[in-house]
């Protein structure tokens, strides 16, 4: 199964004046991995669907900033 969070290693120029970012990451939406919408998908209740931005649970993908993830690991 594919993951929704991908990483890549950008080109680092020897003439770049800034310290390089060696690994960059990005998120892909869940609908890319679903070929078609099957019938009878589980749904959110209406109020929760409005809060999440989608009616179907398989299409929900919460966004987490890379900075938020870094904070979670540095709670010590």
């Amino acid at each position: 199964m594919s993951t929704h969070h991908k990483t890549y290693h950008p080109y680092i120029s020897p003439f770049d004046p800034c310290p390089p970012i060696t690994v960059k990451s990005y998120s892909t939406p869940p609908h890319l991995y679903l070929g078609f919408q099957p019938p009878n998908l589980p749904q959110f209740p209406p109020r929760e669907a409005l809060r999440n931005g989608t009616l179907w649970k398989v299409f929900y993908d919460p966004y987490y900033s890379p900075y938020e993830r870094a904070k979670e690991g540095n709670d010590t």
Side-chain angles (χ1 to χ4, degrees), residues 16-21:
D16 193 0
C18 302
I21 299 174

Side-chain angles (χ1 to χ4, degrees), residues 22-65:
T22 57
V23 178
K24 292 190 177 188
S25 63
Y26 61 98
S27 176
T28 55
H31 74 274
L32 293 178
Y33 305 104
L34 195 64
F36 61 94
Q37 185 173 336
N40 301 324
L41 284 175
Q43 297 180 351
F44 286 117
R47 186 176 299 261
E48 194 174 345
L50 286 171
R51 192 177 319 119
N52 292 335
T54 183
L55 181 59
W56 296 280
K57 293 182 179 184
V58 294
F59 294 126
Y60 176 64
D61 183 29
Y63 173 77
Y64 296 106
S65 167

